[in-house]
Amino acid sequence: MPDEVQQSFGFALYQAQIGLLHPDAKPLKGFGSAGILEIVEDWRGNAYRAVYTVRFAQSVFVLHCFQKKSKHGIETPSADMDLIRKRLKEAEALAKGIK
């Protein structure tokens, strides 16, 4: 990812760590709550996304960062959604161990 995109995502994640919500963060559709958030960054005609969860009080887990390449609208590709779901389950298991 370009440095500018990494910096933008890093700032949004920093805000999540200190309990704030970045103005561009929005709930990721398909998860039914605001516990899974995404940041979308457009840079030079390319769309990048960072998906993270704030469901667990002790940690912010980054579930997936990727360049969206689908040409079928704004919907997140199903392969990426499957990976996010898998990583969310792993984050839940890790969060239980942190308590």
Side-chain angles (χ1 to χ4, degrees):
M1 279 188 194
D3 288 340
E4 292 84 351
V5 174
Q6 290 180 42
Q7 290 174 5
S8 176
F9 288 167
F11 181 65
L13 293 169
Y14 167 73
Q15 288 190 306
Q17 288 174 331
I18 62 171
L20 301 175
L21 181 64
H22 188 276
D24 295 334
K26 62 181 181 177
L28 181 63
K29 293 179 181 171
F31 287 91
S33 75
I36 309 298
L37 301 166
E38 74 172 333
I39 298 287
V40 177
E41 184 70 30
D42 292 320
W43 192 78
R44 294 189 178 178
N46 295 304
Y48 296 90
R49 293 183 180 189
V51 178
Y52 63 97
T53 182
V54 293
R55 282 187 179 176
F56 314 108
Q58 69 276 19
S59 300
V60 173
F61 288 92
V62 178
L63 303 174
H64 193 27
C65 292
F66 60 102
Q67 179 181 357
K68 185 177 175 299
K69 294 183 179 183
S70 173
K71 303 297 181 194
H72 304 289
I74 62 171
E75 185 175 316
T76 304
S78 61
D80 289 308
M81 291 297 285
D82 292 342
L83 183 58
I84 292 166
R85 285 186 187 92
K86 177 184 175 224
R87 290 180 177 169
L88 179 59
K89 288 180 184 180
E90 293 171 0
E92 288 171 344
L94 285 171
K96 288 180 185 177
I98 293 172
K99 286 184 182 179

